[in-house]
Amino acid sequence: PTETKSSMNPKWVFLLLVTFAFAQKKIPVDLFVMSRCPDAKACEHTYDTVLHRVGSIIDLNLNYFGEEKDDGFSCMHGDRECIGNMQQLCAKKHFADNYKWWDFVLCMNEDNNIPDRSQECAAKVGVNWDTISLCMETEAIGLFRDSIGRTMNSRAKHSCTIHINGQYFCTHNHGIWENCRSHSISGITNYICSLYKGEDTPPICKKSQIVPNNYK
């Protein structure tokens, strides 16, 4: 049989290898929360500033506490919280680009009546409400179930618990920061910058004087 030789130019092979070698996944930042919880809102307020600084190198996610029962879900702050959790998960699923879903969450946080303003917030931040409504009818149960599973697997005990790069980082509980590697915006930012090994670092990482273990 006749052997066939690859027509791939060695130069392109080298460039592809270099690309893969230098490719860097975004740093996962996971907040384990309840949508109506004041501690969750405090966390989300802090990490909104972090997102504006290093959003290009992180993958920010919210995962929710809850319990699935025979007749649906149970949430600490009632059924309204379960609805808020699912609406936010639907926004994340369908409006991840440019963190539209995050803007939706922050808008909902502006008062203590989640989920009353959800449709108003969707219009305000440019999230299609019909898409959210359809998701609530067809996908929300599965999304919430998966989210509860991730929270259970994380062993988080309190809303809000933060994991960065798959590791425990901090807790905001009963109005105070607890057991934190850092809870300052500069400390969190510096820590994320220190983890990221890609070349496309945001300006704040290039300006920061990153000192190992100096994140307070």
Side-chain angles (χ1 to χ4, degrees), residues 179-196:
N179 304 316
C180 295
R181 189 159 189 169
S182 176
H183 59 79
S184 72
I185 291 170
S186 60
I188 299 165
T189 301
N190 285 352
Y191 181 67
I192 291 170
C193 288
S194 74
L195 293 174
Y196 189 72

Side-chain angles (χ1 to χ4, degrees), residues 22-209:
F22 283 95
Q24 169 68 36
K25 292 183 178 179
K26 292 184 176 183
I27 305 299
V29 177
D30 293 286
L31 277 57
F32 300 93
V33 299
M34 308 171 190
S35 61
R36 288 175 64 92
C37 173
D39 291 298
K41 294 180 182 182
C43 272
E44 290 158 7
H45 176 75
T46 295
Y47 277 79
D48 181 51
T49 304
V50 173
L51 179 65
H52 280 85
R53 290 185 171 195
V54 291
S56 63
I57 63 171
I58 68 173
D59 180 16
L60 180 62
N61 293 286
L62 297 181
N63 290 295
Y64 297 87
F65 289 85
E67 182 180 359
E68 187 171 11
K69 297 187 174 182
D70 292 339
D71 59 347
F73 292 101
S74 174
C75 296
M76 180 173 287
H77 301 95
D79 292 343
R80 290 162 61 79
E81 180 169 78
C82 289
I83 293 171
N85 295 347
M86 289 189 281
Q87 287 176 341
Q88 293 177 4
L89 285 165
C90 282
K92 175 66 160 56
K93 168 74 181 293
H94 292 283
F95 300 97
D97 291 347
N98 301 316
Y99 280 97
K100 285 282 187 184
W101 71 274
W102 181 252
D103 294 335
F104 178 70
V105 171
L106 294 182
C107 179
M108 292 177 73
N109 284 349
E110 290 177 3
D111 60 36
N112 295 318
N113 294 317
I114 290 174
D116 288 357
R117 296 184 64 233
S118 53
Q119 186 169 358
E120 175 187 338
C121 285
K124 180 178 178 180
V125 304
V127 165
N128 185 283
W129 180 247
D130 290 340
T131 301
I132 299 294
S133 296
L134 181 60
C135 175
M136 289 293 289
E137 294 174 4
T138 59
E139 301 175 273
I141 290 175
L143 293 173
F144 195 19
R145 181 183 294 126
D146 292 345
S147 185
I148 291 172
R150 288 190 292 272
T151 300
M152 292 178 65
N153 289 338
S154 77
R155 299 186 178 181
K157 301 298 183 185
H158 303 289
S159 169
C160 163
T161 297
I162 303 114
H163 286 192
I164 296 180
N165 206 31
Q167 301 295 318
Y168 173 83
F169 189 77
C170 190
T171 297
H172 195 283
N173 185 37
H174 295 304
I176 61 173
W177 296 101
E178 298 177 341
N179 304 316
C180 295
R181 189 159 189 169
S182 176
H183 59 79
S184 72
I185 291 170
S186 60
I188 299 165
T189 301
N190 285 352
Y191 181 67
I192 291 170
C193 288
S194 74
L195 293 174
Y196 189 72
K197 306 305 180 185
E199 295 187 346
D200 53 338
T201 53
I204 191 69
C205 292
K206 296 173 183 177
K207 293 177 181 178
S208 300
Q209 296 298 314

Side-chain angles (χ1 to χ4, degrees), residues 12-26:
W12 291 112
V13 173
F14 173 77
L15 289 174
L16 285 171
L17 290 173
V18 169
T19 299
F20 286 122
F22 283 95
Q24 169 68 36
K25 292 183 178 179
K26 292 184 176 183

